[in-house]
Amino acid sequence: MSQLSPEFPASVEAVVIPRTSDIGNFEVRRALPSRERRTVGPFVFLDEMGPAMLPAGVGIDVRPHPHIGLSTVTYLYEGAIVHRDGAGNVRTILPGEVNWMTAGRGIVHSERSSADSRTRAQPLAGLQSWVALPAAHEETDPGFVHYDRGAQAVLEGEGIRAQIVAGSLFGRTSSVRTLSPLFLGDITLEAGARLSLDAEYEERAAYIARGEVEIDGQRFESGRLVVLAPGKVVTLKAATAARVALLGGEPLDGPRYLWWNFVSSRRDRIEQAREDWMRDRFNQTVPEDTTEFIPAPAWAPLAPLPSR
């Protein structure tokens, strides 16, 4: 279970210690949704993968599975993953690049290591997040766009390198197309560097992937999602060399249900998606990945994720 830090400064609203799962070859830490915080802006899901060194002969094998009502965002620090989806897209994602897949009314995809990468030991580290689509776009056409490093704005200086992965941050805007006001930034800081985050967005958080960061004199170690209080300019100081993901945006435009790989403002839509998947009604074939799939789990009662 995630745990809540008993005390934190005025600039911090909550601290999430992610649930850790060992999936065989590496660990995954789930920061969203959690008991302390279900969403941050439109972000309804956040996992950290690794860091790990996968031995030769071993790879990532996420079999074909469906999504509705969200965009998946894969961002690697190390390693490589091959994305394949039912719209016919096949693309390898490398560190610093972005795979932005919009599920809309429904898409099927898989994520695997390439045959070539399995011939040698390979590192793996990165983040995977889901962005709930605005209600008006939940049933949009599914789509996929790959963005290389050049698509993201970069800001450097005073011991800081900020890559604006998506949305707007620090006065810079990424060319990654989004459907709601949000931001996602990959920030590396030298020890002692300071970074101020303004109050442009109501909901903001910092996921500390490496090192330690101070906020108002209190240290937060790696593997923590620090949810920042709204309406305040917050300064992050790198207590050590650190790497931080900044994320957030405007609150959701209403409650959302999240079950398995599905997000929707309607409970019955999720029930329909499960039924469609189990009855093979998504009508999509993932290129070069047609012999396996992940079955849906047993149905369970749903409570909506809150909007603020």
Side-chain angles (χ1 to χ4, degrees), residues 239-252:
T240 67
R243 190 166 196 171
V244 177
L246 296 177
L247 65 148
E250 294 306 307
L252 291 169

Side-chain angles (χ1 to χ4, degrees), residues 281-297:
R281 294 197 295 240
F282 268 69
N283 299 318
Q284 295 181 14
T285 300
V286 176
E288 306 170 58
D289 206 343
T290 59
T291 61
E292 297 182 301
F293 74 98
I294 301 176

Side-chain angles (χ1 to χ4, degrees), residues 17-297:
I17 302 176
R19 306 186 305 276
T20 300
S21 300
D22 187 337
I23 60 174
N25 301 321
F26 58 93
E27 287 188 339
V28 172
R29 281 166 292 282
R30 180 151 302 164
L32 291 176
S34 71
R35 181 183 61 188
E36 297 80 25
R37 190 69 181 216
R38 308 290 286 170
T39 63
V40 178
F43 289 88
V44 298
F45 178 96
L46 177 65
D47 269 3
E48 182 188 14
M49 305 172 286
M53 180 62 72
L54 305 182
V58 171
I60 301 166
D61 283 300
V62 181
R63 295 167 289 159
H65 59 281
H67 290 285
I68 67 164
L70 56 85
S71 291
T72 65
V73 188
T74 303
Y75 187 84
L76 293 180
Y77 297 143
E78 296 182 281
I81 297 176
V82 180
H83 163 97
R84 296 180 174 89
D85 66 45
N89 299 292
V90 179
R91 190 68 188 243
T92 299
I93 181 171
L94 299 172
E97 301 177 343
V98 177
N99 273 5
W100 194 285
M101 185 183 75
T102 298
R105 65 174 179 270
I107 198 166
V108 182
H109 77 135
S110 68
E111 297 161 296
R112 298 187 186 265
S113 298
S114 69
D116 177 67
S117 68
R118 295 172 195 260
T119 64
R120 58 190 180 276
Q122 54 179 313
L124 174 69
L127 302 175
Q128 195 157 59
S129 58
W130 298 352
V131 175
L133 295 175
H137 295 283
E138 285 186 318
E139 299 296 322
T140 193
D141 292 342
F144 170 85
V145 184
H146 178 90
Y147 298 90
D148 62 22
R149 284 176 173 268
Q152 292 110 56
V154 174
L155 189 65
E156 293 185 273
E158 300 182 348
I160 299 167
R161 183 183 189 278
Q163 183 164 323
I164 317 307
V165 177
S168 298
L169 193 61
F170 308 127
R172 305 291 180 89
T173 302
S174 168
S175 63
V176 172
R177 180 175 178 266
T178 68
L179 293 172
S180 55
L182 59 80
F183 67 94
L184 177 61
D186 174 20
I187 317 298
T188 54
L189 303 102
E190 298 175 4
R194 293 174 178 269
L195 177 69
S196 291
L197 183 62
D198 65 25
E200 176 183 358
Y201 299 94
E202 182 175 343
E203 299 189 5
R204 305 164 296 166
Y207 184 81
I208 306 168
R210 305 289 181 272
E212 295 186 3
V213 170
E214 286 185 11
I215 300 174
D216 292 350
Q218 183 169 328
R219 279 198 181 200
F220 299 93
E221 61 186 276
S222 62
R224 302 292 185 266
L225 178 70
V226 182
V227 181
L228 305 176
K232 295 178 178 290
V233 176
V234 180
T235 298
L236 284 66
K237 177 185 175 182
T240 67
R243 190 166 196 171
V244 177
L246 296 177
L247 65 148
E250 294 306 307
L252 291 169
D253 57 358
R256 291 295 188 281
Y257 294 93
L258 190 159
W259 181 84
W260 193 39
N261 302 312
F262 305 143
V263 174
S264 179
S265 59
R266 295 163 38 215
R267 187 196 322 245
D268 65 310
R269 180 66 180 91
I270 290 182
E271 294 184 57
Q272 177 194 331
R274 182 187 185 278
E275 186 77 3
D276 288 346
W277 178 242
M278 296 306 291
R279 294 182 178 275
D280 196 25
R281 294 197 295 240
F282 268 69
N283 299 318
Q284 295 181 14
T285 300
V286 176
E288 306 170 58
D289 206 343
T290 59
T291 61
E292 297 182 301
F293 74 98
I294 301 176

